[in-house]
mmCIF file of all heavy atoms in Angstrom:
data_model
loop_
_atom_site.group_PDB
_atom_site.id
_atom_site.type_symbol
_atom_site.label_atom_id
_atom_site.label_comp_id
_atom_site.label_asym_id
_atom_site.label_seq_id
_atom_site.Cartn_x
_atom_site.Cartn_y
_atom_site.Cartn_z
ATOM 1 N N GLU Z 105 -26.464 19.563 -18.042
ATOM 2 C CA GLU Z 105 -27.541 19.682 -19.033
ATOM 3 C C GLU Z 105 -28.162 21.065 -19.027
ATOM 4 O O GLU Z 105 -28.609 21.563 -20.056
ATOM 5 C CB GLU Z 105 -28.677 18.696 -18.686
ATOM 6 C CG GLU Z 105 -28.503 17.316 -19.238
ATOM 7 C CD GLU Z 105 -29.712 16.434 -18.917
ATOM 8 O OE1 GLU Z 105 -30.766 16.962 -18.483
ATOM 9 O OE2 GLU Z 105 -29.579 15.218 -19.089
ATOM 10 N N ARG Z 106 -28.202 21.678 -17.855
ATOM 11 C CA ARG Z 106 -28.981 22.908 -17.729
ATOM 12 C C ARG Z 106 -28.146 24.183 -17.803
ATOM 13 O O ARG Z 106 -28.685 25.251 -18.040
ATOM 14 C CB ARG Z 106 -29.760 22.891 -16.412
ATOM 15 C CG ARG Z 106 -30.564 21.612 -16.245
ATOM 16 C CD ARG Z 106 -31.439 21.671 -15.014
ATOM 17 N NE ARG Z 106 -32.328 22.816 -15.058
ATOM 18 C CZ ARG Z 106 -33.428 22.896 -15.780
ATOM 19 N NH1 ARG Z 106 -33.779 21.874 -16.522
ATOM 20 N NH2 ARG Z 106 -34.167 23.970 -15.758
ATOM 21 N N ARG Z 107 -26.838 24.058 -17.563
ATOM 22 C CA ARG Z 107 -25.938 25.214 -17.602
ATOM 23 C C ARG Z 107 -26.519 26.474 -16.933
ATOM 24 O O ARG Z 107 -26.788 27.480 -17.575
ATOM 25 C CB ARG Z 107 -25.540 25.544 -19.050
ATOM 26 C CG ARG Z 107 -24.793 24.400 -19.731
ATOM 27 C CD ARG Z 107 -24.278 24.788 -21.102
ATOM 28 N NE ARG Z 107 -23.372 25.928 -21.083
ATOM 29 C CZ ARG Z 107 -22.076 25.839 -20.771
ATOM 30 N NH1 ARG Z 107 -21.556 24.688 -20.425
ATOM 31 N NH2 ARG Z 107 -21.319 26.919 -20.802
ATOM 32 N N PRO Z 108 -26.667 26.417 -15.614
ATOM 33 C CA PRO Z 108 -27.198 27.596 -14.915
ATOM 34 C C PRO Z 108 -26.175 28.740 -14.928
ATOM 35 O O PRO Z 108 -24.994 28.517 -15.208
ATOM 36 C CB PRO Z 108 -27.423 27.098 -13.492
ATOM 37 C CG PRO Z 108 -26.566 25.895 -13.352
ATOM 38 C CD PRO Z 108 -26.388 25.298 -14.714
ATOM 39 N N ARG Z 109 -26.639 29.939 -14.620
ATOM 40 C CA ARG Z 109 -25.721 31.084 -14.508
ATOM 41 C C ARG Z 109 -24.806 30.881 -13.313
ATOM 42 O O ARG Z 109 -23.598 31.027 -13.409
ATOM 43 C CB ARG Z 109 -26.552 32.376 -14.344
ATOM 44 C CG ARG Z 109 -25.712 33.642 -14.197
ATOM 45 C CD ARG Z 109 -25.129 34.027 -15.537
ATOM 46 N NE ARG Z 109 -24.076 35.031 -15.450
ATOM 47 C CZ ARG Z 109 -22.778 34.761 -15.326
ATOM 48 N NH1 ARG Z 109 -22.351 33.520 -15.225
ATOM 49 N NH2 ARG Z 109 -21.890 35.733 -15.289
ATOM 50 N N LEU Z 110 -25.412 30.552 -12.155
ATOM 51 C CA LEU Z 110 -24.641 30.286 -10.942
ATOM 52 C C LEU Z 110 -25.180 29.043 -10.259
ATOM 53 O O LEU Z 110 -26.387 28.791 -10.263
ATOM 54 C CB LEU Z 110 -24.770 31.434 -9.928
ATOM 55 C CG LEU Z 110 -24.153 32.787 -10.199
ATOM 56 C CD1 LEU Z 110 -24.409 33.690 -8.982
ATOM 57 C CD2 LEU Z 110 -22.668 32.693 -10.474
ATOM 58 N N VAL Z 111 -24.274 28.306 -9.649
ATOM 59 C CA VAL Z 111 -24.649 27.206 -8.768
ATOM 60 C C VAL Z 111 -24.244 27.648 -7.372
ATOM 61 O O VAL Z 111 -23.086 27.993 -7.144
ATOM 62 C CB VAL Z 111 -23.886 25.913 -9.136
ATOM 63 C CG1 VAL Z 111 -24.265 24.786 -8.191
ATOM 64 C CG2 VAL Z 111 -24.142 25.533 -10.583
ATOM 65 N N LEU Z 112 -25.192 27.668 -6.454
ATOM 66 C CA LEU Z 112 -24.898 28.178 -5.115
ATOM 67 C C LEU Z 112 -24.900 27.061 -4.085
ATOM 68 O O LEU Z 112 -25.893 26.351 -3.910
ATOM 69 C CB LEU Z 112 -25.938 29.233 -4.716
ATOM 70 C CG LEU Z 112 -25.934 30.499 -5.562
ATOM 71 C CD1 LEU Z 112 -27.258 31.232 -5.453
ATOM 72 C CD2 LEU Z 112 -24.797 31.403 -5.137
ATOM 73 N N THR Z 113 -23.757 26.923 -3.411
ATOM 74 C CA THR Z 113 -23.668 25.988 -2.297
ATOM 75 C C THR Z 113 -22.798 26.665 -1.249
ATOM 76 O O THR Z 113 -22.550 27.861 -1.342
ATOM 77 C CB THR Z 113 -23.128 24.624 -2.777
ATOM 78 O OG1 THR Z 113 -22.971 23.763 -1.647
ATOM 79 C CG2 THR Z 113 -21.791 24.738 -3.478
ATOM 80 N N SER Z 114 -22.385 25.936 -0.218
ATOM 81 C CA SER Z 114 -21.630 26.621 0.829
ATOM 82 C C SER Z 114 -20.415 25.813 1.238
ATOM 83 O O SER Z 114 -20.288 24.641 0.898
ATOM 84 C CB SER Z 114 -22.530 26.885 2.027
ATOM 85 O OG SER Z 114 -22.862 25.660 2.615
ATOM 86 N N THR Z 115 -19.515 26.437 2.001
ATOM 87 C CA THR Z 115 -18.308 25.731 2.438
ATOM 88 C C THR Z 115 -18.588 24.973 3.731
ATOM 89 O O THR Z 115 -17.894 25.126 4.717
ATOM 90 C CB THR Z 115 -17.133 26.695 2.680
ATOM 91 O OG1 THR Z 115 -17.589 27.695 3.596
ATOM 92 C CG2 THR Z 115 -16.664 27.340 1.422
ATOM 93 N N THR Z 116 -19.615 24.166 3.716
ATOM 94 C CA THR Z 116 -19.882 23.259 4.829
ATOM 95 C C THR Z 116 -19.246 21.920 4.485
ATOM 96 O O THR Z 116 -18.703 21.744 3.391
ATOM 97 C CB THR Z 116 -21.386 23.039 4.977
ATOM 98 O OG1 THR Z 116 -21.870 22.616 3.700
ATOM 99 C CG2 THR Z 116 -22.104 24.298 5.395
ATOM 100 N N ALA Z 117 -19.354 20.957 5.391
ATOM 101 C CA ALA Z 117 -18.805 19.620 5.124
ATOM 102 C C ALA Z 117 -19.400 19.062 3.827
ATOM 103 O O ALA Z 117 -18.719 18.421 3.037
ATOM 104 C CB ALA Z 117 -19.099 18.692 6.298
ATOM 105 N N PHE Z 118 -20.674 19.321 3.603
ATOM 106 C CA PHE Z 118 -21.336 18.882 2.366
ATOM 107 C C PHE Z 118 -20.794 19.650 1.164
ATOM 108 O O PHE Z 118 -20.328 19.070 0.180
ATOM 109 C CB PHE Z 118 -22.851 19.104 2.521
ATOM 110 C CG PHE Z 118 -23.648 18.984 1.239
ATOM 111 C CD1 PHE Z 118 -24.045 17.746 0.771
ATOM 112 C CD2 PHE Z 118 -24.014 20.125 0.514
ATOM 113 C CE1 PHE Z 118 -24.792 17.637 -0.402
ATOM 114 C CE2 PHE Z 118 -24.759 20.024 -0.657
ATOM 115 C CZ PHE Z 118 -25.146 18.771 -1.111
ATOM 116 N N GLY Z 119 -20.820 20.972 1.257
ATOM 117 C CA GLY Z 119 -20.410 21.812 0.128
ATOM 118 C C GLY Z 119 -18.950 21.655 -0.253
ATOM 119 O O GLY Z 119 -18.588 21.795 -1.421
#
Side-chain angles (χ1 to χ4, degrees):
Chain Z
E105 274 183 13
R106 308 186 57 77
R107 299 186 59 81
R109 179 75 193 91
L110 291 182
V111 179
L112 295 159
T113 176
S114 68
T115 54
T116 54
F118 168 83

